[in-house]
Amino acid sequence: MTTIADQLSLAQEQIAQSAAVVGRNPSDITLLAVSKTKPAAMLRDAYQAGQRHFGENYLQEALEKQQELADLAITWHFIGPIQSNKTRPIAQHFQWVHSVDRLKVARRLSEQRPAELAPLNVCLQVNISDEASKSGASADEVKQLAREIDRLDNLRLRGLMAIPMATRDPGAQRAQFAKVKKLFNELKSEFSDIDTLSMGMSGDLDAAIAEQSTMVRLGTAIFGARK
Ligand SMILES: *Cc1c(COP(=O)(O)O)cnc(C)c1O
């Protein structure tokens, strides 16, 4: 039987191999375990195997797991679409948000971030393929949004997140990630805190790492398929 610990070490090996191919240091790539729909017991197993960063998409589900796992020093990342009337619990209960794509949401997160907590780490979600169905700011909107978010007191702008159009063609995956990388490097030259490029999932990990990803978000590869 393969355990979560086995799957995690396989994932770490794959990250190390993908990094080696392009001459990168694997320690520059953080593994975010995406645990949506998976029970708290599986997250606990992953934690016991050394995993610290967990990503959740659905607020209510995430809050329930956080209560069950309150004894663990987990860093929680919110990576799902954000409804603007649900920002307060996100501002209160997460350390990172990857899916900020409009100023209204950013302002609310900043206003609602409790004063006793460190600023909320934020990645802007960019919609690189401009698919109408996907959330994310367009590449054109991202820089202006970054400038506005940079002024908000309780947010710390860390970088970009992207979910490219699904394709199995590695060349097409890289082409999309390359566009995000270009935007990332432009932002980096303008904002000193920018250090996070959140891209790469179970099906496009190699391409993302080849294009400078610093945080890969793996669900299926660690926890198995979702229903
Ligand atoms: C579900 C999800 C993932 C993980 O996807 P897998 O294909 O299971 O690795 C990563 N990022 C986001 C934003 C997700 O919603």
Side-chain angles (χ1 to χ4, degrees):
M1 206 187 87
T2 33
T3 63
I4 300 263
D6 295 333
Q7 302 277 77
L8 266 174
S9 62
L10 282 174
Q12 293 288 9
E13 262 174 53
Q14 201 193 338
I15 291 169
Q17 279 176 12
S18 307
V21 169
V22 291
R24 295 189 57 196
N25 185 342
S27 65
D28 293 337
I29 303 161
T30 300
L31 172 56
L32 178 60
V34 176
S35 42
K36 61 178 176 228
T37 80
K38 300 296 180 182
M42 288 180 97
L43 282 72
R44 189 175 288 279
D45 286 349
Y47 184 91
Q48 274 156 2
Q51 182 63 31
R52 291 295 178 268
H53 293 268
F54 290 85
E56 289 281 341
N57 295 59
Y58 309 112
L59 184 58
Q60 197 49 45
E61 180 196 332
L63 295 175
E64 283 165 23
K65 285 183 215 171
Q66 288 178 347
Q67 283 207 334
E68 276 185 70
L69 302 172
D71 56 316
L72 307 182
I74 287 177
T75 301
W76 292 99
H77 298 241
F78 190 81
I79 63 173
I82 306 172
Q83 291 170 258
S84 59
N85 62 346
K86 299 274 177 63
T87 49
R88 187 178 300 277
I90 296 176
Q92 289 170 333
H93 296 285
F94 289 81
Q95 285 88 47
W96 284 75
V97 181
H98 293 225
S99 41
V100 171
D101 62 0
R102 56 199 194 279
L103 186 58
K104 181 181 180 187
V105 160
R107 280 202 179 116
R108 290 175 65 96
L109 288 171
S110 181
E111 280 161 16
Q112 294 166 345
R113 181 69 170 170
E116 67 275 16
L117 298 183
L120 183 62
N121 297 294
V122 161
C123 291
L124 292 181
Q125 184 175 351
V126 56
N127 179 356
I128 213 67
S129 44
D130 280 328
E131 287 173 276
S133 60
K134 283 229 179 88
S135 31
S138 72
D140 291 339
E141 290 164 342
V142 160
K143 279 189 204 162
Q144 188 53 34
L145 196 51
R147 288 182 193 118
E148 283 162 327
I149 287 178
D150 192 53
R151 288 190 216 109
L152 299 175
D153 285 339
N154 301 320
L155 302 187
R156 183 173 168 205
L157 181 62
R158 298 293 295 268
L160 293 178
M161 186 274 260
I163 312 173
M165 203 169 48
T167 164
R168 290 185 184 201
D169 172 4
Q173 291 175 350
R174 277 196 69 162
Q176 296 189 81
F177 286 136
K179 288 190 199 170
V180 188
K181 175 179 75 176
K182 178 168 177 285
L183 201 53
F184 175 67
N185 284 326
E186 288 166 11
L187 285 180
K188 238 175 140 170
S189 64
E190 195 173 333
F191 304 99
S192 56
D193 275 357
I194 298 260
D195 59 5
T196 303
L197 185 50
S198 166
M199 61 187 196
M201 314 201 293
S202 301
D204 55 17
L205 185 67
D206 298 342
I209 289 175
E211 297 296 341
Q212 214 182 320
S213 168
T214 69
M215 200 179 282
V216 293
R217 308 180 309 268
L218 300 186
T220 310
I222 297 171
F223 299 110
R226 290 177 296 273
K227 288 199 190 76

Short mmCIF file of all heavy atoms in Angstrom, two decimals, residues 134-199:
data_model
loop_
_atom_site.label_atom_id
_atom_site.label_comp_id
_atom_site.label_asym_id
_atom_site.label_seq_id
_atom_site.Cartn_x
_atom_site.Cartn_y
_atom_site.Cartn_z
N LYS A 134 -12.37 31.31 -16.68
CA LYS A 134 -11.46 31.20 -15.53
C LYS A 134 -11.33 32.52 -14.79
O LYS A 134 -11.35 33.58 -15.38
CB LYS A 134 -10.08 30.77 -16.02
CG LYS A 134 -10.00 29.30 -16.35
CD LYS A 134 -8.79 28.65 -15.70
CE LYS A 134 -8.70 27.17 -15.99
NZ LYS A 134 -7.98 26.90 -17.23
N SER A 135 -11.11 32.42 -13.49
CA SER A 135 -10.87 33.65 -12.75
C SER A 135 -9.42 34.08 -12.95
O SER A 135 -8.59 33.34 -13.45
CB SER A 135 -11.21 33.46 -11.27
OG SER A 135 -10.98 32.15 -10.88
N GLY A 136 -9.14 35.30 -12.54
CA GLY A 136 -7.79 35.83 -12.69
C GLY A 136 -7.83 37.15 -13.42
O GLY A 136 -8.69 37.37 -14.27
N ALA A 137 -6.89 38.03 -13.07
CA ALA A 137 -6.77 39.31 -13.77
C ALA A 137 -6.04 39.07 -15.08
O ALA A 137 -5.22 38.16 -15.18
CB ALA A 137 -5.99 40.28 -12.90
N SER A 138 -6.31 39.89 -16.07
CA SER A 138 -5.58 39.75 -17.33
C SER A 138 -4.16 40.28 -17.13
O SER A 138 -3.89 41.04 -16.19
CB SER A 138 -6.27 40.53 -18.43
OG SER A 138 -6.10 41.91 -18.21
N ALA A 139 -3.27 39.87 -18.02
CA ALA A 139 -1.88 40.32 -17.92
C ALA A 139 -1.81 41.85 -17.92
O ALA A 139 -1.00 42.43 -17.20
CB ALA A 139 -1.07 39.73 -19.06
N ASP A 140 -2.68 42.48 -18.67
CA ASP A 140 -2.70 43.95 -18.74
C ASP A 140 -3.09 44.57 -17.40
O ASP A 140 -2.59 45.63 -17.03
CB ASP A 140 -3.68 44.43 -19.80
CG ASP A 140 -3.19 44.10 -21.20
OD1 ASP A 140 -1.97 43.87 -21.35
OD2 ASP A 140 -4.03 44.05 -22.12
N GLU A 141 -4.02 43.93 -16.70
CA GLU A 141 -4.52 44.49 -15.44
C GLU A 141 -3.55 44.29 -14.28
O GLU A 141 -3.60 45.02 -13.29
CB GLU A 141 -5.84 43.80 -15.05
CG GLU A 141 -7.02 44.13 -15.93
CD GLU A 141 -8.19 43.15 -15.75
OE1 GLU A 141 -8.00 42.03 -15.22
OE2 GLU A 141 -9.29 43.50 -16.16
N VAL A 142 -2.70 43.28 -14.39
CA VAL A 142 -1.92 42.84 -13.23
C VAL A 142 -1.02 43.93 -12.65
O VAL A 142 -0.96 44.11 -11.44
CB VAL A 142 -1.12 41.57 -13.56
CG1 VAL A 142 0.02 41.36 -12.60
CG2 VAL A 142 -2.04 40.36 -13.53
N LYS A 143 -0.34 44.67 -13.51
CA LYS A 143 0.62 45.65 -12.96
C LYS A 143 -0.07 46.77 -12.20
O LYS A 143 0.38 47.17 -11.12
CB LYS A 143 1.47 46.24 -14.08
CG LYS A 143 2.59 45.30 -14.44
CD LYS A 143 3.57 45.94 -15.37
CE LYS A 143 4.28 44.84 -16.11
NZ LYS A 143 4.93 45.32 -17.32
N GLN A 144 -1.16 47.26 -12.75
CA GLN A 144 -1.90 48.32 -12.07
C GLN A 144 -2.43 47.81 -10.72
O GLN A 144 -2.32 48.48 -9.69
CB GLN A 144 -3.04 48.81 -12.97
CG GLN A 144 -3.77 50.04 -12.43
CD GLN A 144 -2.81 51.19 -12.10
OE1 GLN A 144 -1.78 51.38 -12.76
NE2 GLN A 144 -3.11 51.94 -11.04
N LEU A 145 -2.96 46.60 -10.75
CA LEU A 145 -3.47 45.98 -9.53
C LEU A 145 -2.33 45.83 -8.50
O LEU A 145 -2.52 46.11 -7.31
CB LEU A 145 -4.06 44.62 -9.90
CG LEU A 145 -4.97 43.91 -8.93
CD1 LEU A 145 -6.10 44.82 -8.45
CD2 LEU A 145 -5.56 42.66 -9.60
N ALA A 146 -1.18 45.43 -8.96
CA ALA A 146 -0.03 45.27 -8.06
C ALA A 146 0.32 46.60 -7.40
O ALA A 146 0.60 46.65 -6.20
CB ALA A 146 1.17 44.72 -8.83
N ARG A 147 0.29 47.67 -8.17
CA ARG A 147 0.63 48.99 -7.61
C ARG A 147 -0.37 49.38 -6.53
O ARG A 147 0.00 49.93 -5.49
CB ARG A 147 0.64 50.05 -8.70
CG ARG A 147 1.84 49.89 -9.62
CD ARG A 147 1.92 50.94 -10.70
NE ARG A 147 2.91 50.48 -11.67
CZ ARG A 147 2.65 50.22 -12.95
NH1 ARG A 147 1.45 50.41 -13.45
NH2 ARG A 147 3.61 49.76 -13.73
N GLU A 148 -1.64 49.08 -6.77
CA GLU A 148 -2.65 49.44 -5.77
C GLU A 148 -2.54 48.56 -4.52
O GLU A 148 -2.66 49.04 -3.40
CB GLU A 148 -4.04 49.36 -6.42
CG GLU A 148 -4.27 50.59 -7.28
CD GLU A 148 -5.40 50.43 -8.30
OE1 GLU A 148 -5.63 49.33 -8.83
OE2 GLU A 148 -6.05 51.45 -8.57
N ILE A 149 -2.29 47.30 -4.73
CA ILE A 149 -2.19 46.37 -3.59
C ILE A 149 -0.95 46.66 -2.76
O ILE A 149 -0.96 46.54 -1.54
CB ILE A 149 -2.21 44.92 -4.11
CG1 ILE A 149 -3.64 44.59 -4.58
CG2 ILE A 149 -1.76 43.94 -3.03
CD1 ILE A 149 -3.81 43.22 -5.15
N ASP A 150 0.10 47.06 -3.42
CA ASP A 150 1.35 47.39 -2.72
C ASP A 150 1.13 48.49 -1.67
O ASP A 150 1.87 48.58 -0.70
CB ASP A 150 2.39 47.84 -3.76
CG ASP A 150 3.77 47.91 -3.16
OD1 ASP A 150 4.21 46.91 -2.56
OD2 ASP A 150 4.43 48.97 -3.28
N ARG A 151 0.11 49.31 -1.86
CA ARG A 151 -0.16 50.39 -0.91
C ARG A 151 -1.03 49.96 0.27
O ARG A 151 -1.24 50.74 1.19
CB ARG A 151 -0.88 51.54 -1.62
CG ARG A 151 0.03 52.30 -2.56
CD ARG A 151 -0.67 53.57 -3.05
NE ARG A 151 -0.29 53.82 -4.43
CZ ARG A 151 -1.10 53.67 -5.47
NH1 ARG A 151 -2.35 53.34 -5.32
NH2 ARG A 151 -0.66 53.88 -6.69
N LEU A 152 -1.57 48.77 0.23
CA LEU A 152 -2.47 48.34 1.32
C LEU A 152 -1.64 47.84 2.51
O LEU A 152 -0.75 47.01 2.35
CB LEU A 152 -3.41 47.26 0.80
CG LEU A 152 -4.33 47.69 -0.35
CD1 LEU A 152 -5.16 46.52 -0.86
CD2 LEU A 152 -5.24 48.83 0.09
N ASP A 153 -1.96 48.37 3.69
CA ASP A 153 -1.12 48.15 4.87
C ASP A 153 -0.97 46.70 5.31
O ASP A 153 0.09 46.28 5.74
CB ASP A 153 -1.71 48.92 6.07
CG ASP A 153 -1.44 50.40 5.93
OD1 ASP A 153 -0.51 50.74 5.17
OD2 ASP A 153 -2.15 51.19 6.56
N ASN A 154 -2.06 45.95 5.25
CA ASN A 154 -2.03 44.63 5.88
C ASN A 154 -1.87 43.48 4.90
O ASN A 154 -2.12 42.33 5.25
CB ASN A 154 -3.27 44.43 6.75
CG ASN A 154 -3.34 45.49 7.83
OD1 ASN A 154 -2.31 45.85 8.42
ND2 ASN A 154 -4.51 46.03 8.06
N LEU A 155 -1.47 43.83 3.68
CA LEU A 155 -1.15 42.80 2.69
C LEU A 155 0.31 42.92 2.33
O LEU A 155 0.88 44.01 2.29
CB LEU A 155 -1.99 42.97 1.42
CG LEU A 155 -3.51 42.95 1.55
CD1 LEU A 155 -4.15 42.95 0.17
CD2 LEU A 155 -4.01 41.77 2.37
N ARG A 156 0.91 41.77 2.05
CA ARG A 156 2.28 41.76 1.54
C ARG A 156 2.26 41.07 0.18
O ARG A 156 2.02 39.86 0.10
CB ARG A 156 3.19 41.01 2.53
CG ARG A 156 4.63 41.03 2.11
CD ARG A 156 5.52 40.43 3.20
NE ARG A 156 6.84 40.19 2.64
CZ ARG A 156 7.71 39.30 3.08
NH1 ARG A 156 7.40 38.55 4.14
NH2 ARG A 156 8.87 39.13 2.50
N LEU A 157 2.46 41.83 -0.84
CA LEU A 157 2.40 41.29 -2.20
C LEU A 157 3.63 40.43 -2.47
O LEU A 157 4.75 40.92 -2.46
CB LEU A 157 2.32 42.45 -3.20
CG LEU A 157 2.22 42.04 -4.67
CD1 LEU A 157 0.95 41.25 -4.94
CD2 LEU A 157 2.27 43.28 -5.57
N ARG A 158 3.42 39.14 -2.69
CA ARG A 158 4.53 38.20 -2.85
C ARG A 158 4.76 37.74 -4.28
O ARG A 158 5.83 37.26 -4.61
CB ARG A 158 4.29 36.98 -1.95
CG ARG A 158 4.22 37.31 -0.46
CD ARG A 158 5.55 37.79 0.08
NE ARG A 158 6.55 36.75 0.03
CZ ARG A 158 6.81 35.89 1.02
NH1 ARG A 158 6.13 35.97 2.15
NH2 ARG A 158 7.75 34.97 0.89
N GLY A 159 3.70 37.79 -5.13
CA GLY A 159 3.95 37.34 -6.49
C GLY A 159 2.70 37.02 -7.27
O GLY A 159 1.65 37.65 -7.07
N LEU A 160 2.83 36.04 -8.15
CA LEU A 160 1.74 35.68 -9.07
C LEU A 160 1.36 34.21 -8.92
O LEU A 160 2.21 33.37 -8.60
CB LEU A 160 2.19 35.90 -10.52
CG LEU A 160 2.46 37.32 -10.97
CD1 LEU A 160 2.95 37.31 -12.43
CD2 LEU A 160 1.20 38.18 -10.84
N MET A 161 0.10 33.93 -9.21
CA MET A 161 -0.38 32.56 -9.30
C MET A 161 -1.08 32.40 -10.64
O MET A 161 -1.76 33.32 -11.09
CB MET A 161 -1.35 32.25 -8.17
CG MET A 161 -1.80 30.80 -8.09
SD MET A 161 -3.22 30.37 -9.12
CE MET A 161 -4.53 30.41 -7.90
N ALA A 162 -0.89 31.25 -11.27
CA ALA A 162 -1.59 31.01 -12.54
C ALA A 162 -2.03 29.56 -12.63
O ALA A 162 -1.37 28.65 -12.13
CB ALA A 162 -0.67 31.35 -13.72
N ILE A 163 -3.18 29.38 -13.26
CA ILE A 163 -3.69 28.05 -13.61
C ILE A 163 -3.88 28.06 -15.12
O ILE A 163 -4.91 28.52 -15.60
CB ILE A 163 -5.07 27.76 -12.96
CG1 ILE A 163 -5.07 28.10 -11.47
CG2 ILE A 163 -5.50 26.32 -13.21
CD1 ILE A 163 -6.45 28.00 -10.82
N PRO A 164 -2.90 27.62 -15.88
CA PRO A 164 -3.06 27.72 -17.33
C PRO A 164 -4.10 26.74 -17.87
O PRO A 164 -4.53 25.83 -17.16
CB PRO A 164 -1.68 27.38 -17.87
CG PRO A 164 -0.93 26.79 -16.77
CD PRO A 164 -1.65 27.04 -15.48
N MET A 165 -4.47 26.98 -19.09
CA MET A 165 -5.41 26.11 -19.78
C MET A 165 -4.84 24.69 -19.76
O MET A 165 -3.66 24.49 -20.04
CB MET A 165 -5.51 26.60 -21.22
CG MET A 165 -6.74 26.23 -21.93
SD MET A 165 -6.82 27.17 -23.47
CE MET A 165 -5.18 26.92 -24.14
N ALA A 166 -5.69 23.71 -19.43
CA ALA A 166 -5.20 22.34 -19.33
C ALA A 166 -4.79 21.80 -20.70
O ALA A 166 -5.54 21.89 -21.65
CB ALA A 166 -6.27 21.46 -18.71
N THR A 167 -3.59 21.28 -20.78
CA THR A 167 -3.13 20.62 -22.00
C THR A 167 -2.05 19.63 -21.58
O THR A 167 -1.34 19.86 -20.61
CB THR A 167 -2.56 21.62 -23.03
OG1 THR A 167 -1.80 20.88 -24.00
CG2 THR A 167 -1.65 22.65 -22.39
N ARG A 168 -1.93 18.53 -22.32
CA ARG A 168 -0.88 17.56 -22.01
C ARG A 168 0.38 17.81 -22.81
O ARG A 168 1.37 17.10 -22.65
CB ARG A 168 -1.38 16.15 -22.30
CG ARG A 168 -2.43 15.76 -21.30
CD ARG A 168 -2.85 14.34 -21.50
NE ARG A 168 -3.93 14.06 -20.57
CZ ARG A 168 -4.27 12.85 -20.17
NH1 ARG A 168 -3.63 11.80 -20.62
NH2 ARG A 168 -5.25 12.69 -19.32
N ASP A 169 0.32 18.78 -23.71
CA ASP A 169 1.46 19.06 -24.58
C ASP A 169 2.49 19.89 -23.79
O ASP A 169 2.23 21.04 -23.46
CB ASP A 169 0.94 19.82 -25.81
CG ASP A 169 2.07 20.34 -26.67
OD1 ASP A 169 3.25 20.05 -26.38
OD2 ASP A 169 1.76 21.06 -27.64
N PRO A 170 3.64 19.29 -23.48
CA PRO A 170 4.63 20.01 -22.65
C PRO A 170 5.07 21.33 -23.26
O PRO A 170 5.31 22.29 -22.52
CB PRO A 170 5.81 19.03 -22.57
CG PRO A 170 5.27 17.70 -22.95
CD PRO A 170 4.10 17.95 -23.86
N GLY A 171 5.14 21.39 -24.59
CA GLY A 171 5.54 22.64 -25.24
C GLY A 171 4.51 23.74 -25.00
O GLY A 171 4.86 24.89 -24.71
N ALA A 172 3.25 23.36 -25.11
CA ALA A 172 2.17 24.33 -24.89
C ALA A 172 2.11 24.74 -23.42
O ALA A 172 1.84 25.90 -23.09
CB ALA A 172 0.83 23.74 -25.34
N GLN A 173 2.38 23.80 -22.51
CA GLN A 173 2.43 24.14 -21.08
C GLN A 173 3.52 25.17 -20.83
O GLN A 173 3.31 26.18 -20.16
CB GLN A 173 2.71 22.88 -20.25
CG GLN A 173 1.58 21.87 -20.23
CD GLN A 173 1.97 20.58 -19.49
OE1 GLN A 173 3.13 20.37 -19.13
NE2 GLN A 173 0.99 19.72 -19.29
N ARG A 174 4.69 24.90 -21.40
CA ARG A 174 5.82 25.83 -21.16
C ARG A 174 5.54 27.20 -21.74
O ARG A 174 5.90 28.22 -21.14
CB ARG A 174 7.11 25.26 -21.73
CG ARG A 174 7.75 24.28 -20.76
CD ARG A 174 9.18 23.98 -21.09
NE ARG A 174 10.08 25.11 -20.88
CZ ARG A 174 11.40 24.99 -20.78
NH1 ARG A 174 11.95 23.77 -20.85
NH2 ARG A 174 12.16 26.05 -20.60
N ALA A 175 4.92 27.22 -22.92
CA ALA A 175 4.64 28.52 -23.55
C ALA A 175 3.74 29.37 -22.65
O ALA A 175 3.95 30.58 -22.50
CB ALA A 175 4.00 28.31 -24.92
N GLN A 176 2.76 28.75 -22.03
CA GLN A 176 1.88 29.51 -21.13
C GLN A 176 2.62 29.96 -19.87
O GLN A 176 2.51 31.11 -19.45
CB GLN A 176 0.67 28.66 -20.73
CG GLN A 176 -0.24 28.29 -21.89
CD GLN A 176 -1.52 27.65 -21.39
OE1 GLN A 176 -2.45 28.33 -20.97
NE2 GLN A 176 -1.58 26.33 -21.40
N PHE A 177 3.38 29.05 -19.28
CA PHE A 177 4.13 29.41 -18.07
C PHE A 177 5.18 30.49 -18.37
O PHE A 177 5.47 31.32 -17.51
CB PHE A 177 4.81 28.17 -17.47
CG PHE A 177 3.85 27.23 -16.78
CD1 PHE A 177 3.95 25.86 -16.98
CD2 PHE A 177 2.87 27.70 -15.92
CE1 PHE A 177 3.09 24.97 -16.33
CE2 PHE A 177 2.00 26.83 -15.26
CZ PHE A 177 2.11 25.46 -15.47
N ALA A 178 5.73 30.45 -19.59
CA ALA A 178 6.74 31.46 -19.94
C ALA A 178 6.14 32.87 -19.92
O ALA A 178 6.80 33.83 -19.53
CB ALA A 178 7.33 31.14 -21.31
N LYS A 179 4.88 32.97 -20.30
CA LYS A 179 4.22 34.29 -20.26
C LYS A 179 4.07 34.77 -18.82
O LYS A 179 4.24 35.95 -18.52
CB LYS A 179 2.81 34.20 -20.87
CG LYS A 179 2.79 34.05 -22.37
CD LYS A 179 1.35 34.22 -22.84
CE LYS A 179 1.15 33.63 -24.22
NZ LYS A 179 -0.29 33.59 -24.57
N VAL A 180 3.73 33.85 -17.92
CA VAL A 180 3.58 34.22 -16.51
C VAL A 180 4.94 34.63 -15.95
O VAL A 180 5.07 35.62 -15.22
CB VAL A 180 2.99 33.06 -15.67
CG1 VAL A 180 2.66 33.54 -14.27
CG2 VAL A 180 1.76 32.47 -16.35
N LYS A 181 5.97 33.87 -16.31
CA LYS A 181 7.33 34.17 -15.85
C LYS A 181 7.76 35.58 -16.27
O LYS A 181 8.36 36.32 -15.48
CB LYS A 181 8.31 33.14 -16.42
CG LYS A 181 9.76 33.44 -16.09
CD LYS A 181 10.71 32.38 -16.64
CE LYS A 181 10.88 32.52 -18.13
NZ LYS A 181 11.88 31.56 -18.66
N LYS A 182 7.45 35.94 -17.49
CA LYS A 182 7.85 37.25 -18.00
C LYS A 182 7.20 38.36 -17.14
O LYS A 182 7.87 39.30 -16.71
CB LYS A 182 7.42 37.37 -19.46
CG LYS A 182 7.73 38.69 -20.11
CD LYS A 182 7.53 38.60 -21.63
CE LYS A 182 7.77 39.94 -22.30
NZ LYS A 182 6.64 40.89 -22.09
N LEU A 183 5.92 38.18 -16.90
CA LEU A 183 5.20 39.16 -16.08
C LEU A 183 5.79 39.20 -14.65
O LEU A 183 5.96 40.27 -14.06
CB LEU A 183 3.73 38.71 -16.04
CG LEU A 183 2.66 39.70 -15.70
CD1 LEU A 183 2.73 40.93 -16.58
CD2 LEU A 183 1.28 39.00 -15.89
N PHE A 184 6.09 38.04 -14.12
CA PHE A 184 6.69 37.91 -12.79
C PHE A 184 8.00 38.70 -12.72
O PHE A 184 8.22 39.47 -11.78
CB PHE A 184 6.92 36.43 -12.49
CG PHE A 184 7.64 36.13 -11.21
CD1 PHE A 184 7.06 36.39 -9.98
CD2 PHE A 184 8.90 35.54 -11.23
CE1 PHE A 184 7.72 36.08 -8.79
CE2 PHE A 184 9.57 35.23 -10.06
CZ PHE A 184 8.98 35.50 -8.84
N ASN A 185 8.84 38.53 -13.72
CA ASN A 185 10.13 39.22 -13.71
C ASN A 185 9.95 40.73 -13.83
O ASN A 185 10.70 41.50 -13.24
CB ASN A 185 11.05 38.66 -14.79
CG ASN A 185 11.61 37.30 -14.38
OD1 ASN A 185 11.85 37.07 -13.19
ND2 ASN A 185 11.78 36.41 -15.32
N GLU A 186 8.95 41.16 -14.57
CA GLU A 186 8.68 42.60 -14.68
C GLU A 186 8.23 43.15 -13.31
O GLU A 186 8.68 44.22 -12.89
CB GLU A 186 7.62 42.86 -15.75
CG GLU A 186 8.17 42.64 -17.16
CD GLU A 186 7.08 42.57 -18.25
OE1 GLU A 186 5.91 42.90 -17.96
OE2 GLU A 186 7.42 42.18 -19.38
N LEU A 187 7.38 42.40 -12.63
CA LEU A 187 6.91 42.85 -11.31
C LEU A 187 8.06 42.88 -10.31
O LEU A 187 8.17 43.78 -9.48
CB LEU A 187 5.83 41.92 -10.77
CG LEU A 187 4.44 42.02 -11.37
CD1 LEU A 187 3.51 41.02 -10.70
CD2 LEU A 187 3.86 43.42 -11.23
N LYS A 188 8.91 41.86 -10.41
CA LYS A 188 10.05 41.76 -9.48
C LYS A 188 10.95 42.98 -9.57
O LYS A 188 11.51 43.41 -8.56
CB LYS A 188 10.86 40.53 -9.89
CG LYS A 188 11.02 39.51 -8.80
CD LYS A 188 11.73 38.31 -9.38
CE LYS A 188 12.71 37.78 -8.39
NZ LYS A 188 13.25 36.49 -8.84
N SER A 189 11.10 43.52 -10.76
CA SER A 189 11.98 44.67 -10.89
C SER A 189 11.32 45.93 -10.31
O SER A 189 11.99 46.91 -10.03
CB SER A 189 12.38 44.87 -12.35
OG SER A 189 11.23 45.17 -13.11
N GLU A 190 10.01 45.88 -10.11
CA GLU A 190 9.32 47.05 -9.57
C GLU A 190 9.03 46.96 -8.06
O GLU A 190 8.98 47.97 -7.38
CB GLU A 190 8.01 47.24 -10.35
CG GLU A 190 7.37 48.60 -10.16
CD GLU A 190 6.15 48.81 -11.07
OE1 GLU A 190 6.07 48.19 -12.16
OE2 GLU A 190 5.27 49.61 -10.67
N PHE A 191 8.83 45.75 -7.56
CA PHE A 191 8.43 45.58 -6.15
C PHE A 191 9.41 44.66 -5.43
O PHE A 191 9.64 43.53 -5.85
CB PHE A 191 7.02 44.98 -6.06
CG PHE A 191 5.99 45.78 -6.79
CD1 PHE A 191 5.57 45.41 -8.06
CD2 PHE A 191 5.43 46.92 -6.21
CE1 PHE A 191 4.62 46.15 -8.74
CE2 PHE A 191 4.47 47.66 -6.88
CZ PHE A 191 4.07 47.27 -8.15
N SER A 192 9.94 45.16 -4.30
CA SER A 192 11.04 44.44 -3.66
C SER A 192 10.64 43.12 -3.00
O SER A 192 11.47 42.22 -2.88
CB SER A 192 11.69 45.35 -2.62
OG SER A 192 10.69 45.78 -1.70
N ASP A 193 9.39 42.98 -2.57
CA ASP A 193 9.01 41.77 -1.84
C ASP A 193 8.61 40.60 -2.74
O ASP A 193 8.30 39.52 -2.25
CB ASP A 193 7.82 42.06 -0.91
CG ASP A 193 8.27 42.63 0.43
OD1 ASP A 193 9.50 42.74 0.64
OD2 ASP A 193 7.41 42.95 1.25
N ILE A 194 8.58 40.83 -4.02
CA ILE A 194 8.09 39.79 -4.94
C ILE A 194 9.10 38.64 -5.04
O ILE A 194 10.24 38.84 -5.44
CB ILE A 194 7.85 40.39 -6.34
CG1 ILE A 194 6.79 41.47 -6.27
CG2 ILE A 194 7.52 39.29 -7.35
CD1 ILE A 194 5.42 41.08 -6.67
N ASP A 195 8.68 37.46 -4.62
CA ASP A 195 9.59 36.31 -4.67
C ASP A 195 8.87 35.00 -4.96
O ASP A 195 9.49 33.94 -4.91
CB ASP A 195 10.34 36.19 -3.33
CG ASP A 195 9.40 36.03 -2.13
OD1 ASP A 195 8.17 35.91 -2.33
OD2 ASP A 195 9.90 36.03 -1.00
N THR A 196 7.56 35.05 -5.23
CA THR A 196 6.79 33.81 -5.34
C THR A 196 6.07 33.70 -6.67
O THR A 196 5.28 34.57 -7.04
CB THR A 196 5.76 33.74 -4.19
OG1 THR A 196 6.47 33.83 -2.95
CG2 THR A 196 4.99 32.42 -4.24
N LEU A 197 6.37 32.62 -7.36
CA LEU A 197 5.68 32.32 -8.61
C LEU A 197 4.98 30.98 -8.40
O LEU A 197 5.61 29.92 -8.43
CB LEU A 197 6.69 32.27 -9.76
CG LEU A 197 6.13 32.10 -11.16
CD1 LEU A 197 5.02 33.07 -11.47
CD2 LEU A 197 7.26 32.27 -12.18
N SER A 198 3.67 31.07 -8.12
CA SER A 198 2.88 29.89 -7.76
C SER A 198 2.29 29.29 -9.03
O SER A 198 1.28 29.76 -9.55
CB SER A 198 1.78 30.32 -6.78
OG SER A 198 0.78 29.34 -6.62
N MET A 199 2.97 28.29 -9.55
CA MET A 199 2.43 27.61 -10.74
C MET A 199 3.00 26.20 -10.83
O MET A 199 4.09 25.92 -10.38
CB MET A 199 2.68 28.42 -12.01
CG MET A 199 4.11 28.69 -12.36
SD MET A 199 4.23 29.83 -13.78
CE MET A 199 5.96 29.56 -14.24
#
